[in-house]
Amino acid sequence: MPELPEVETIVRGLREPLVGRQFTGLRVGWENLIARPRPELAEGPPVEEFERGLVGRRILGVKRRGKYLIFALSGGGSLIIHLRMTGRLLITNSDDELDKHDHLIFELDDGRELRFNNVRKLGRVYLVDDEDEIVGKLGPEPLDDDFTPADFAALISARRGKIKPLLLNQRFMAGVGNIYADEALFAARIHPERKADSFTTGEIERLYYAIRQVLRQGIENRGTTFSAYRDAEGREGRNQEVLQVSRNTDQPCPRCGTLIERTVVGGRGTYFCPRCQK
Ligand SMILES: [Zn+2]
């Protein structure tokens, strides 16, 4: 699933082609991608309400919050997109050949299109008056300037569970997923099953800086492509080339040479070095 660095890369790639553009039409191949307006509250078919609410509006800005993309619209309100497992957002010309997984196509006033390609159809699209309806409960952004080591320490010390599932909990902190959690825990030399209330001050600080470092590196490398992820122009990321533990089972640890192991923590495949992560 795209995580913070992948979504950030897509957002940066969408700003130039999209800001100032107007939505002129919508083609819907799989209407269950549309999660707002809520079907149960819509006056008519939710797809029609979505289209009525969107067409004619201009895109004033594109930003990221956690793993969500948020498009601010003229007249107020926002279009919000979550890519989930296999979602891609691509800018294309209107006469470019369609892919059979282009399930939602936003037509733009410059003749181009924003296509939401979704092999597994798990992505979600929301049209809301207030973005907080969707992203209001997310935890802090780990790369925000005003998110300090002390803030992170306060978050951790209020928790008791295992650290890896906590890092994946979007209400704890927004944007980190399976790959960057494993990489940050490796960089901080912390075992993924350590309990949050067992951390020393030094370990908390190490983890804080490790999270920020692996996320920044991910953005610099334009995201990690193991399979589905592409940026807004359809290009793969390069961060998979520098990952230290993810999917490196039975490869030597870059720090100590011990073979990297895979285990399952909180239901998620987890890679770590059994020797240098305590
Ligand atoms: Zn090691």
Side-chain angles (χ1 to χ4, degrees):
M1 181 190 292
E3 304 179 29
L4 186 156
E6 290 75 40
V7 178
E8 181 66 28
T9 303
I10 295 168
V11 160
R12 291 180 184 187
L14 290 177
R15 267 193 200 119
E16 194 276 322
L18 286 185
V19 173
R21 298 272 62 82
Q22 185 179 33
F23 289 114
T24 52
L26 181 76
R27 307 204 296 284
V28 181
W30 184 257
E31 58 183 65
N32 291 341
L33 295 181
I34 297 173
R36 292 282 192 291
R38 283 179 198 274
E40 64 273 24
L41 297 180
E43 285 159 22
V47 179
E48 284 173 25
E49 201 168 311
F50 181 86
E51 184 174 2
R52 257 201 321 276
L54 193 73
V55 172
R57 305 246 235 151
R58 271 186 199 283
I59 301 164
L60 304 179
V62 186
K63 67 175 182 180
R64 179 192 59 75
R65 177 79 172 94
K67 304 177 193 172
Y68 291 86
L69 298 100
I70 304 178
F71 305 78
L73 301 173
S74 61
S78 302
L79 170 71
I80 302 182
I81 298 181
H82 197 296
L83 301 166
R84 300 274 189 94
M85 293 298 286
T86 55
R88 293 177 184 171
L89 282 170
L90 296 162
I91 301 283
T92 68
N93 292 314
S94 53
D95 54 2
D96 286 355
E97 200 177 330
L98 278 176
D99 183 272
K100 65 174 175 178
H101 302 295
D102 287 338
H103 294 308
L104 208 50
I105 296 161
F106 302 87
E107 298 168 354
L108 303 166
D109 62 345
D110 63 355
R112 290 199 279 183
E113 294 177 343
L114 172 66
R115 294 181 182 172
F116 191 12
N117 183 288
N118 225 214
V119 173
R120 293 179 61 178
K121 300 178 180 168
L122 295 169
R124 289 293 176 265
V125 173
Y126 312 84
L127 185 63
V128 290
D129 293 329
D130 179 358
E131 66 184 52
D132 280 349
E133 237 188 274
I134 307 300
V135 299
K137 289 190 174 144
L138 293 177
E141 286 288 329
L143 291 182
D144 266 4
D145 291 338
D146 54 6
F147 181 65
T148 65
D151 294 333
F152 185 59
L155 287 182
I156 291 255
S157 60
R159 301 290 189 141
R160 289 202 166 71
K162 293 176 183 175
I163 186 63
K164 165 112 189 244
L166 197 53
L167 294 180
L168 299 183
N169 178 347
Q170 300 299 297
R171 292 184 182 207
F172 173 74
M173 198 170 65
V176 174
N178 207 37
I179 295 171
Y180 294 94
D182 283 358
E183 295 295 317
L185 288 166
F186 174 78
R189 305 195 301 280
I190 290 168
H191 193 282
E193 295 190 284
R194 277 279 300 283
K195 296 284 174 56
D197 56 1
S198 73
F199 281 55
T200 65
T201 310
E203 285 174 326
I204 292 175
E205 200 155 293
R206 238 163 46 213
L207 183 55
Y208 166 86
Y209 286 108
I211 290 166
R212 287 168 63 108
Q213 191 267 330
V214 298
L215 293 174
R216 285 207 181 102
Q217 179 176 259
I219 294 171
E220 273 166 33
N221 289 323
R222 307 182 56 80
T224 298
T225 299
F226 280 138
S227 54
Y229 164 71
R230 298 289 185 279
D231 70 12
E233 291 161 78
R235 294 176 298 189
E236 296 187 359
R238 295 188 311 270
N239 201 56
Q240 62 280 6
E241 294 161 17
V242 302
L243 296 177
Q244 303 287 294
V245 287
S246 297
R247 303 205 183 180
N248 284 350
T249 317
D250 293 336
Q251 301 291 312
C253 164
R255 212 159 32 210
C256 75
T258 305
L259 298 185
I260 299 296
E261 288 183 8
R262 182 185 186 277
T263 182
V264 176
V265 181
R268 304 295 300 274
T270 296
Y271 299 86
F272 69 106
C273 172
R275 178 152 175 226
C276 55
Q277 287 179 256
K278 300 293 181 198

